[in-house]
Every structure is written in C-alpha cells, then in structure tokens.
Amino acid sequence: MSKTALITGATSGFGAATARRFVAAGWRVIATGRRADRLQALVDELGADQVHAAVFDIRDAQAMNAAMDALPEAFRGIDLLVNNAGLAQGTKPAQDARLDDWQRMIDTNVTALVTLTRRVLPLLIERRGAIVNISSTAANYPYAGGNVYGGTKAFVSQFSLGLRSDLHGTGVRVTTLEPGMAETEFTLVRTHGDQAASDALYQGAQPMTAQDIADTIHWIATLPPHLNINRLEMMPVSQSFAGFQVARGA
C-alpha cells in the first residue's frame, strides 16, 4: 500500500527534491507552497496520481486548514510530515536588522510549523507515522547576522525533542535534520535577491545539494519502525565550526 508524505515548501530546494525522491520510491506526496505555477509544474512532472498540490501561504492558518480539509481521498492518510518550509531573512546584525524580517522568520519557521504539526498529529498517531523537522546548524552554532534565524531553528530542534517525548508510546517517530551549507535559493532569499552574494558564498565550497538532503530524509523515513533518529547534523566537508569572535582595541 502506497504511503503519503506531506512536504511543506515544495516549490524549490529541499522540498522539491524531497518530493521527487519520495515519488521515485512509490510514495504519494502532498506538496505545499505559495507559488502555484511551481507546484503545478511538479504535478505535471510527477503525475497527478502521485502529487497533490496544496497552494497556500504556510503562515495563513485558515488557508492551511482549508487545504487540509480539501485533500482528495487518496491523499488523506498521512504517514510522514516533512516540515521543510522556512527561511532566513536579512544578514545585518541585530541592532540594524529589520523587524519585519524577524517577524516573517518567526511566523514561518516557528508559528506555521507548530500550527501544521498540531493539525497533522492525530493522523500520524493513527498511522504510526513520522515527522522530519528541518532545522539548521544555525540552531547549534551562532554566527554574525544569524540572530533570529538561529533562534527559530533552535526552537525547531527543541520542539522536536519535546514532540518525541510527548509521542512516547504512540509509535510516531520524530527527527530533527540540521543541515549546514547547501546550495539552494536559500541565500537569495536571505539577501533579498542578491545573486552576487549568493554566488560568492558557494564559490569553490562544494556545498551540499538539495538532493543530498532529500536522500537523507528518505533514508530516515524508511528505516525500520523500531528505530528513531533523534537529531542528525550534516555539513559539507568544506565547512566546520565557527571560530570565536575577538574584538581588539586600537
């Protein structure tokens, strides 16, 4: 019997690659995102019998609930939730950052994630399913300009541990995946569309790819049901831990 994965933020990057990976393995996928054209392209590529496009802004709880209520019968039994939708916005230090950037990160990375998770939990418990929450190495290692983004991802990691505890005995597995540098549209969003800054960040670094993350999510989700990966941190070999900051007087 085919299983179904709900993947948020499936219009690009990790989400789109993960949708393709699971469909290739015979799963059905509910793909969510704001950009209807990109979701439709995914449906056209992978087939309407395998992918259902749920078009809504993850921050809009009313639209999310309406999309969940409207799921076709074949997509109603959810076995896996991949909370991938999220973003970093802005690169400035806290004292110069835009408050609307901070609010958008909190609304997307925290509030929307917990809202959708709460909605889907009864289905996952019924089917003894799994949750993979996409956090970040920014949850563990601070860096200049990472202020609220790092804070939101630390929340995701800690929330996942709390879920794991609360779901004890239900058979539902919970994993936090914490990627480091991976080349997607992430940096374009973070820099408000600065392509040169994005290119400079990745140049010569051999970063991870969206496919690397998709393959890892699939591996986690298809482990034997008695195994749980609590948290998994990933980096490209070219990246390691940040050094200490030292401010020196004249």
Side-chain angles (χ1 to χ4, degrees):
M1 184 172 59
S2 178
K3 291 187 174 184
T4 300
L6 169 56
I7 302 170
T8 67
T11 56
S12 65
F14 296 170
T18 302
R20 293 186 178 99
R21 181 66 182 85
F22 276 84
V23 169
W27 288 55
R28 292 189 181 97
V29 168
I30 304 161
T32 85
R34 292 178 295 109
R35 292 172 286 190
D37 56 335
R38 292 199 180 191
L39 289 182
Q40 187 57 52
L42 203 60
V43 172
D44 293 343
E45 174 190 345
L46 301 174
D49 56 336
Q50 294 301 116
V51 178
H52 171 72
V55 182
F56 60 90
D57 187 327
I58 196 74
R59 298 170 294 173
D60 185 338
Q62 185 174 358
M64 179 271 289
N65 281 312
M68 294 299 295
D69 289 340
L71 287 176
E73 188 63 35
F75 291 87
R76 286 186 173 269
I78 297 171
D79 301 279
L80 171 67
L81 170 61
V82 180
N83 275 316
N84 165 70
L87 77 161
Q89 191 87 78
T91 59
K92 293 181 179 180
Q95 62 271 29
D96 298 322
R98 289 168 39 177
L99 188 58
D100 60 333
D101 283 347
W102 283 10
Q103 192 64 59
R104 185 180 180 196
M105 286 186 281
I106 293 167
D107 291 345
T108 304
N109 301 355
V110 175
T111 306
L113 183 146
V114 301
T115 302
L116 180 58
T117 299
R118 181 63 186 85
R119 170 66 194 248
V120 177
L121 275 177
L123 298 172
L124 294 171
I125 292 170
E126 178 184 332
R127 296 172 72 93
R128 300 177 72 87
I131 301 169
V132 177
N133 288 329
I134 306 302
S135 180
S136 170
T137 54
N140 306 320
Y141 312 110
Y143 61 88
N147 39 69
V148 168
Y149 175 69
T152 63
K153 290 303 185 178
F155 174 89
V156 171
S157 293
Q158 188 63 29
F159 176 62
S160 301
L161 294 176
L163 279 177
R164 174 97 166 86
S165 178
D166 287 345
L167 292 167
H168 179 77
T170 66
V172 176
R173 298 181 292 166
V174 183
T175 299
T176 308
L177 183 57
E178 300 170 344
M181 180 183 285
E183 187 169 8
T184 64
E185 293 180 8
F186 174 87
T187 300
L188 272 181
V189 174
R190 180 170 177 257
T191 61
H192 296 284
D194 188 336
Q195 185 66 57
S198 179
D199 293 343
L201 176 66
Y202 298 121
Q203 185 176 8
Q206 293 186 300
M208 295 184 296
T209 67
Q211 189 63 49
D212 294 329
I213 304 305
D215 288 341
T216 303
I217 294 171
H218 181 262
W219 172 75
I220 291 168
T222 55
L223 286 169
H226 69 287
L227 296 177
N228 194 93
I229 304 299
N230 295 329
R231 61 197 307 171
L232 179 59
E233 181 183 287
M234 300 173 63
M235 289 182 177
V237 174
S238 63
Q239 183 183 32
S240 60
F241 318 107
F244 288 111
Q245 295 172 287
V246 179
R248 304 184 188 279

